[in-house]
Structure formats: structure tokens, C-alpha cells
Amino acid sequence: MKRLGGCLLIFAVLLAAASWWGWRQLQKASSGDGASRVAIAAPANRVFASLTNGDSIPTWMAQGSRVTVSRRGPLLPGDTLRVEMKQALGPRQHFTWKVKKVVPDRLVVMEMRSGANGMLIAQRRDSLAAAGDSTLIVSTVGSPGIDSVLAARRGTGDSSREVVLDMTSRLLVSMVRMQSQLDLLQLKNRIEGAPGRPPDTATAGPDSARKGSR
């Protein structure tokens, strides 16, 4: 029993350390308002073309997972991005991003929904702005689905459930925000050209994207 207790204590310490490290990395990548910011050395139209092109998205989004886009070429409202995550044990988990709004060269809004029950998990807004010869992407993440449940439960007297939902909401937002930051860094490397790899030639537009994917 003592050995089991010692193992659980070690696991708890490692889990706490991993959570703290992840939070610190997220804090470094985010500004005070919780938004992630990544500057890419390319004009806005080129960055936007890669950010919203169905042929390009699987090359930088959710690395290590399988990403399937419902449309080739530029995304339109209503299009979906299915992300299937690999797991060592158990069935693969998946979720779907649904495109809600697209403003050329300026804004993309998507909603993440559970693959199991369609529940709204998070909303992501990627805004683009020129910054000299570069483009600044500002990514914000929220959880409107869980927030609405929390708002409905406030004042009902079930404080313990409110606390659990609030913690769940914060955890989900943190995880999605961290993944969005990783996605944007992968996009940056692809457009600018990571060490040992030439710059992405599929970002000039839909036609060249298709040529680059062949």
C-alpha cells in the first residue's frame, strides 16, 4: 500500500509539473488578453491563402493527427475540418471545426464541435493585419457553449457543479489556445521555410496550391 501511495504521489507531482510547464509555455506565447500572436514574413494575401486553403491546411494543422477538409481550395462558411487524434490506447477521438465566417485577407472564424455528440466546445477567431512587410495573426479562443451552460446554472445553488464546469471551460480553452499557437507556428515555418526545407510554394493562391500538392 505504501508503495502504491508513493507511486501516486510521484505521478501527481509529474502531472503538476507538466501542467505548470504547459501553462508557462502558453503564457509566453500569449499576451495579457489571452490572445496568441504570430508574425509571418509574408503579405496578408499569401498568409490568408495558406490559412484558408483546403489543400494546405492538413500540412500545418494539428501535427500528428489526421486532418480531413471537406473542400479543396479556399474555405467557405459551412465547410468542415475533421481532426482525428491518434491514441496509443482505446478508440481514436475526433472533433470537427466548422467554418462560420470568412473575410478575405482579414478574418476566419471557426467553431469546434465534439465528434461524439456535436456539442459546441470552442470558438476560434484568427485575425490578420499588415505589420510592415509581414503579417500579424491574432488568434483568440473562447468556449461559448460551456459559458452559456454556466450562465444558466448560476444562482441555482449547485455551486460544486458550477466550479467543475468553470474548471472544464478554462482547461478546454487553454488546450485549444495552445494548439492554435502550435498550428500558427507550423504555418509560419511552412510559409517562411523551416531550416532544411524550401518556403511553401502553395500559398500564392488556390491554383498554385493544387500544383504544389501533386
Side-chain angles (χ1 to χ4, degrees), residues 116-158:
N117 54 24
M119 176 183 175
L120 176 60
I121 299 174
Q123 183 184 77
R124 172 175 166 177
R125 295 173 59 91
D126 291 337
S127 303
L128 287 74
D133 295 331
S134 299
T135 299
L136 179 66
I137 302 181
V138 180
S139 183
T140 57
V141 176
S143 56
I146 297 178
D147 290 345
S148 63
V149 174
L150 275 170
R153 288 189 175 277
R154 287 195 178 96
T156 61
D158 193 353

Side-chain angles (χ1 to χ4, degrees), residues 158-170:
D158 193 353
S159 58
S160 60
R161 181 163 294 186
E162 288 182 22
V163 170
V164 172
L165 284 172
D166 184 58
M167 290 178 62
T168 301
S169 175
R170 291 174 183 272

